[in-house]
Amino acid sequence: MKDKIVNYLSDLQKEELKDATALENFRLKWLSKKGIIQSLMDEFKTITDVQIKKEIGKLINELKQQAQIIFDEKKQEFEKHQDIQIEDDLTLELNLNTSGSLHPLSIIKNEIIQIFSKIGFVVSDGPEIEDDWHNFTALNTPPDHPARDMQDTFYIDIEKQDITQDIKLLRTQTSSIQIRVMENNEPPIRIICPGRVYRNETISARAHCQFHQVEGLYIDENVSFADLKTTLLYFAKEMFGSDTQIRMRPSYFPFTEPSAEVDISCTICSGKGCSVCKHTGWVEILGCGMVDPKVLDNCGISSRKYTGFAFGMGIERITMLKYRINDLRLFFENDIRFLKQFENEC
Ligand code: DAH
């Protein structure tokens, strides 16, 4: 292993990084999760001899540091170069006719609202800085409930807070709005709640520390699972086209019983199987279920008289499926070349 790392150290010096693409390839090859250094680390873990481990660990560190230095320096160089080019090009034509357009997430959010408003849902809103009660406890997720681990939470200044007061946090789900609306209104309630949510996740192509959800809630006398299914089938067909099918899989959420996850037939291969649907023909779009009677009671609504359904979906997920976008980070970088592609969509 020692020889291998020494060879890598000399390979590293031979890398030619001519442009930003070469730099990205360099990052993937050396520094990414599937890169050379990570695979050495994995191999390192299997070494049992302490002395060898020490020696190899040192070499891997050296390799990692050198790769990082090369990457950082080149990156800075390319960025500087780019700025200079843009600032110095006085011949660029001034286009005063450009106008802004909606962000793809806003386009899809508006479409979701429009689809549900046609069947009587109205928009409700709530705060992004929430308290523990609305985000968790009232949703049948008390402090020691294992389901809290499903959502890694950003707490706000937890040390400074008086423990007799409710702890403040960044909401992890728009389900908190359900509680606020139920506490303050009598059924029938039929709401749709779009909003931003936060989770302590490492940023990658599939996860982000901030994203957007739409929550739906319908409470009345005699609301049934059949109503839920019909509503979601209607939504899927409006959003993804009239041929779209849905399927429901049993699942678990603390605030609904029974709970389900809903898949739509893959919009790319029409259910035949492709890489997007991982050859299953189906892709997941949301979670849902019948509101747990405990949640109704927590909000002062009689669970003897009323029943209801709820659902929650990620706006990013729907947008990615609709526009075939494969990296979540694109939504937050605001690269004009990405955003311009949606100019004509609204
Ligand atoms: N709040 C859930 C989440 O963020 C999504 C969800 C699932 C919302 C089921 C619901 C529901 O209202 O019934 O993962």
Side-chain angles (χ1 to χ4, degrees), residues 65-79:
Q65 273 171 9
Q66 289 204 15
Q68 193 65 50
I69 289 171
I70 293 174
F71 178 78
D72 290 344
E73 279 178 358
K74 276 285 169 197
K75 190 169 174 229
Q76 228 179 16
E77 193 183 302
F78 289 147
E79 279 171 359

Side-chain angles (χ1 to χ4, degrees), residues 151 173 175 178 199 213 215 253 255-256 287-289 310-312:
Q151 302 178 359
Q173 49 186 346
S175 305
Q178 285 187 23
R199 291 189 198 171
Q213 290 186 328
E215 188 80 13
F253 299 101
F255 35 86
T256 43
C288 65
F311 56 87

